[in-house]
Amino acid sequence: MKRTPFYHLHQANGAKLIGFGGYEMPVQYEGILAEHRAVRESVGVFDVSHMGEVEIKGENAEAFLQKVTTNDVAQLVNGKAQYSAMLYENDAHHPDGGTVDDLIVSRISPTHYFLVINASNIEKDLQWLYRNKIDGVEIINRSDELSLLAVQGKNAEAVLQALTSVNLAEIRYYHFAHGKLADVEMMISRTGYTGEAGFELCFPNEYAEQVWQAIFDAGKPFNIKPIGLGARDTLRLEMGYALYGHELDEQTNPMEAGLGWIVKLSKGEFNGKAACLKAKENPQKKLIGFVLQGKAIARQGFEITTKEGQVIGRVCSGTLSPSLEKAIGTGFVQSNDAVVGGTCFVKIRGELCEAEIVKPPFLIKQTHSIKAM
Amino acid sequence: MNFPETLRYTKEHEWIVMESADIARVGITDFAQSELGDIVFVDLKSVGTKLNANDIFGTVEAVKTVSDLFLPVAGEIVEVNEALKDAALVNKSPYEDGWMIKLKVSNPSDVEGLMTAADYRAQIGQ
């Protein structure tokens, strides 16, 4: 199992460590609920260095990314990022339109792009990128060299501004800048996975301790806390953000997962386009959100049923929302009867538990909409 | 971590203590609550349920995981802790406020056969 450069800091902070995406990662420090609250109410720091980073360089970088990703790369300008997906097409082992991975594509220059991909998919993504590679493109895997910290919460900007001369207020949502922070040259992106204001910082591994220490020193007045993967999951699920392996996988088309907004069918040819058009007209399943009446948690794989117990789908993600104090979840259903405002049932340890079908996000935040980008 | 000498323990991380000739109190250990993390829901079988040793008498839901509760010895549930509507009590006070059920024990001598605090510590490597 791999370790990030922050491993000893996790240990020193009392983290409980688990295997995730091939890395030994902190699932919690103080406790998921306290960490969740820290991010919603003030500021928290996530080590997300397990995630992969890939640089795409060359004169045909844009054309290449237009072909392998679903969002419209032509809409990017220098310093702007977009949420996107890579889909299978003509692959012996996967359906056309099945999702290779979801990712963030950032444009540094017209011939230089930066991808952030999921830890568990790094090898698979690289193979897929190489298989689709065209002349005039260079693919550089930087995953083992770069650290990634997410600083999230309404006080994130105040904490980080104390450490940099870059004017953070000028970095708009889903934009980034390169500059020095805590005396380290890094990429500072206004992105995140929590629904709160915040930044993601990417820098070489050798500066891991220096940056972590500076952030926690600057964050002391705000009671800054380290946040584990447990709270990362409750925070993202309250916002209805997809997690690969749950709402998205190799069998699932983003159109079915409620991510039609990152699939730009008008941009020209791209991998999985025909399958997306088909899924748009005739979806095989649809993603729903639900709020259970009781406090039993619907876990991944549990059956979603009608009142009579007829199985109509399965749970993708479920947790107790710390903000709402209700059991929430997402699931794929095959039934046209499962509509927002209606009810469904989740089979939890043999019992049919009633739930209201809702449209995520479960928690309404005024800060931003990821879709605005 | 705290494992009172007065309690008996199971390998499934429950504790039990006799409170009178045939009534015992049952809960989960400090180690169990710590491993589970934030507990958000405790679902217990109803009063009057008769169960054998090692039968499931409820489940405990933490944010990240769910775990069944196994009865240390045979008996009948005579009371459930209503205060566990606030499930976090199990994290805060696993041996006191966070107890789970009171059990009319079929054979009180069964309790003597369970692990002592020292046995349990050895098992979990503490």
Side-chain angles (χ1 to χ4, degrees), chain A residues 16 18 27-28 30-34 229-230 233-234 294-299 302 318-320 322 348-349 351, chain B residues 31-43 58-68 85 88 91:
Chain A
K16 190 176 288 179
I18 57 159
V27 63
Q28 64 164 66
E30 178 183 351
I32 293 173
L33 299 178
L229 293 178
D233 193 49
T234 54
K295 281 202 169 172
I297 297 173
R299 310 280 175 180
F302 284 12
T319 194
L320 187 97
I348 304 178
R349 291 179 291 283
E351 206 174 314
Chain B
F31 178 75
Q33 70 77 19
S34 164
E35 286 297 300
L36 286 165
D38 288 316
I39 293 166
V40 293
F41 180 57
V42 182
D43 191 13
T59 52
V60 55
E61 295 258 19
V63 179
K64 218 37 193 167
T65 185
V66 61
S67 180
D68 285 325
K85 285 191 175 67
N91 291 119

Side-chain angles (χ1 to χ4, degrees), chain A residues 4 23 37 45 61 65 68 111 122 152 195 201 212 228 232 234 242 244 265 275 278 283 297 299 304 310 357:
Chain A
T4 77
Y23 283 79
R37 273 194 301 273
V45 180
L65 288 171
V68 292
T111 55
I122 293 173
Q152 301 281 303
L201 312 175
W212 176 281
R232 185 168 166 82
T234 54
Y244 195 88
L265 293 165
K278 212 166 126 191
I297 297 173
R299 310 280 175 180
I304 299 172
Q310 187 202 340
I357 300 172

Side-chain angles (χ1 to χ4, degrees), chain B residues 4-10 14-28 72-73 94-96 99 101-105 108 111-112 114-115:
Chain B
E5 298 293 333
T6 48
L7 311 181
R8 291 298 171 114
Y9 299 85
T10 71
E14 286 84 19
W15 57 262
I16 183 167
V17 63
M18 295 305 295
E19 295 199 319
S20 66
D22 62 350
I23 303 293
R25 199 190 285 251
V26 177
I28 65 168
V73 295
Y95 304 116
E96 304 290 338
W99 65 275
I101 56 167
K102 285 189 189 176
L103 188 73
K104 184 166 197 243
V105 177
V111 176
E112 291 305 301
L114 299 172
M115 281 188 274

Side-chain angles (χ1 to χ4, degrees), chain A residues 209-225:
Chain A
E209 184 152 358
Q210 179 181 337
V211 175
W212 176 281
Q213 212 50 59
I215 292 170
F216 278 87
D217 287 347
K220 217 167 239 167
F222 301 99
N223 201 16
I224 198 166
K225 288 180 178 177

